[in-house]
Structures are given as C-alpha cells and as structure tokens.
Amino acid sequence: MRLRLAGALAAVLVAAGLATGPAAQAAPSPARQPTLAGLAERHGRYFGSATDNPELTDTAYTKILGDEFDMITPGNGMKWYATEPQQGVFDWTDGDQIVDLARKNHQKVRAHTLVWHSQLPDWLTSKQWTASELRAVLKKHITTEVRHYRGKVYSWDVVNEAFNEDGSYRETLWYKTLGPGYIADALRWAHQADPHARLYLNDYNIEATGPKSDAYYRLAKELKARGVPLDGIGFQAHLALQYGYPSTLEDNLRRFSRLGLDTALTEVDVRMQLPATEEKLAEQADWYRDLTAACLAVRRCVGVTIWDYTDKYSWIPAVFPGEGAALPWDEELRPKPAYRALREALR
C-alpha cells in the first residue's frame, strides 16, 4: 500500500513539474512547436522581421524576435540620416546594435537601405550639388557603409523606391542630379565594397503586374544584360484590405526569377481600417497565408520578412490615421489569426 501511495505521489509531482530524481528524468517534456523560421527552413526559405532600436529594451518583445525569426532588417538604423548625420562623419551605433543582436540570436541581417529619397540628413538635401560632387558623395557613402558591414550582412537593399506608380523614374535628388545611371553605379559600388552580399532593388506596389513592376522588370533585364551586379528584387508588400489582394503576385515573382534573380517579400504588413473585426482579421489571415504560399511556389523567392511583427511597434497608425492592426501579433504580443495562417502556409 505504501509503495502504491509513493508511486502515485511521484506521478503527481512529475505532472506538476516538481519532482526530481530518476522519475522526473524519465518524464517526457512537452514538445516545443517549430518556429516560423524553423518551418520556413524546411522549404529552404527564411522568415524574418524588421525591428528598430527603441523597442530593443522591451524584453518580452525581443524574446519573440529572437525565437521566431532567422532574418532581421533594421527599420531605420542603417538609413543615411542615422549613419552619416554630418558629411564624412559616420555613426554605426544603431546599425551595429541590431547586427550584434542578430549575431547573438544566430540570425542573418537584410541591410536596409543605401540609396533612398527619404530620411536624408539636412546637409545632403539643403545644398545644390553638381553631378560630380553628388556622385562622389554617393560613392563614398555606399563604399564606407558597405565596407563597415562587410561579412556581417546577408544582403543590401541598395536602391529603394526608384519609380513612380506609372513606371516613370521618381524625381529624387539622385535622379535629377545624376540621371538613371545612379542605380547601376550604386550596385557596382556596393558589390566592390562587399562582393558576397546579395544586392537588391526594393519597392512597394510592385507585387501585382502593372506599370510600376513592369518598369522594374525592364530595368532588371537591362542591368543583367549589361553585367551590373544585381541579385534580387524586393517586393515590400505593404498591403491594405480596402485595396484588394495582388492576385498576380505569384506570376510576377516568377517572371523576375526567369531573369536569374532572387525575389523576396521584404516589408510585409496588411493594414485595415479600424476598428479590427473578426471578419477583417480572418481576411487578413487569408492574405498572409496566400502571400507566403506564393513565395513558396516560386523557387527563387528566398524568404518573407514582416515589417516588425507586432502592432505594438507598427509604423502604420502614425502614417495612415484610422488604419492599423496590420501585423500577426497584436499590441499585447499575442498571436492573431494571421500568425496561425502563416504557420499553416509554411506547413
């Protein structure tokens, strides 16, 4: 009788997680479900998240960031205003913090971004530059930054958002002063500074076939024909339920692959007009599932990155008033239907 009672007590203690000794050692531990990154890896893909320096003090946030993802993109820390705030004076603080975090978590880094029309320092935008002056400034910036991170990052978004919606070149400081050749030059300079980093052009509203994505297709085809070092096209995929799903996404990814280019979904979020309802969250989940499935269906679509993983740190409400709830985790870091849909797609 005493032996039976002792056995029953041991079973209770094991179940409660309080037992020690041989009985506890023999007790099976609960199986840990695979992460999004682990599921994506089975398909030869990565699954990433953007992050930004201010939220890295949030330990509950960084725990999920480190656990679920195998690719990190610095949301702002590698942009020009942060890295060269004064001409010729470089500051790597924010970028290095994220690279160091990624290394600690055994993650890779999609570095973002070298050439963009936005978030430029005043010293760059307030001056009238000659073409030779600006070309020298651009070359020095790209070469210095890419060399600093040489061997530490997987890829670079070299040129970001170069086209308008109608497929014409965006009238940026770079285009107006240097002409369209600045794109090829930027790619060449980045390649010289780090021959092993994958080099991308990156933009939004190019997920569906249309004038803007056609412009990238023509440019990519031309650059490849000229031997310019271009490795991939980044489809940002900042989507909104009210504008409809880009149903030609898979075909579009496939045509860039046929040029010998990688593709990636680089800044994914799916916003909605607030308040969020069960119906909207279910539709959002379908979109996340379909986006991921489209990438998996195209061999050279190498991975998916969501633009931070939680509504708590989303850029959407500040830029699109009345919209939000765009990410797979809510503001309390709880998984939403979109998270479960991502897991289903990756399975």
Side-chain angles (χ1 to χ4, degrees), residues 169 180 184 215-228 259:
Y169 280 97
Y216 274 100
Y217 183 80
R218 288 191 299 271
L219 175 61
K221 194 172 183 179
E222 175 197 335
L223 293 172
K224 293 291 285 184
R226 290 165 50 198
V228 176
L259 294 178

Side-chain angles (χ1 to χ4, degrees), residues 13-245:
L13 291 173
V14 166
L18 300 174
T20 60
Q25 292 164 14
S29 59
R32 186 171 181 268
Q33 67 174 5
T35 63
L36 293 177
L39 291 170
E41 187 179 2
R42 298 175 185 178
H43 301 275
R45 302 329 197 260
Y46 64 78
F47 205 96
S49 174
T51 190
D52 208 359
N53 301 83
E55 54 251 39
L56 298 184
T57 58
D58 182 340
T59 54
Y61 166 86
T62 55
K63 175 74 167 61
I64 297 171
L65 182 71
D67 286 349
E68 284 279 357
F69 306 101
D70 58 354
M71 186 73 74
I72 298 296
T73 301
N76 290 293
M78 292 184 180
K79 291 174 179 172
W80 201 312
Y81 82 99
T83 56
E84 194 180 357
Q86 301 173 55
Q87 186 172 3
V89 179
F90 290 86
D91 184 350
W92 311 118
T93 306
D94 289 351
D96 284 356
Q97 184 183 19
I98 290 173
V99 168
D100 290 345
L101 178 69
R103 184 185 298 117
K104 175 183 156 190
N105 290 330
H106 308 289
Q107 297 162 317
K108 293 182 179 179
V109 176
R110 288 196 84 258
H112 175 84
T113 177
L114 293 169
V115 189
W116 193 28
H117 63 273
S118 187
Q119 291 181 262
L120 297 172
D122 289 343
W123 67 263
L124 191 54
T125 57
S126 61
K127 180 178 173 179
Q128 291 295 317
W129 301 91
T130 67
S132 60
E133 288 172 339
L134 189 62
R135 181 179 165 85
V137 165
L138 183 59
K139 182 177 182 180
K140 180 178 180 182
H141 180 84
I142 291 172
T143 301
T144 305
E145 183 163 9
V146 176
R147 279 180 181 164
H148 178 79
Y149 290 109
R150 180 172 176 158
K152 299 177 182 179
V153 303
Y154 163 78
S155 66
W156 276 102
D157 289 333
V158 178
V159 179
N160 197 47
E161 300 175 5
F163 286 102
N164 295 312
E165 297 304 304
D166 63 1
S168 61
Y169 280 97
R170 189 189 286 269
E171 293 279 329
T172 65
L173 169 67
W174 316 112
Y175 180 78
K176 287 188 291 186
T177 311
L178 302 174
Y182 82 90
I183 296 174
D185 286 340
L187 290 162
R188 290 190 186 101
W189 295 330
H191 180 70
Q192 288 165 7
D194 185 354
H196 301 294
R198 307 292 288 173
L199 304 182
Y200 279 72
L201 305 178
N202 189 57
D203 214 325
Y204 64 93
N205 283 357
I206 61 169
E207 295 74 32
T209 52
K212 196 174 185 181
S213 62
D214 289 348
Y216 274 100
Y217 183 80
R218 288 191 299 271
L219 175 61
K221 194 172 183 179
E222 175 197 335
L223 293 172
K224 293 291 285 184
R226 290 165 50 198
V228 176
L230 173 65
D231 299 302
I233 304 294
F235 296 71
Q236 291 182 13
H238 291 297
L239 304 181
L241 293 183
Q242 62 267 31
Y243 300 127
Y245 181 81

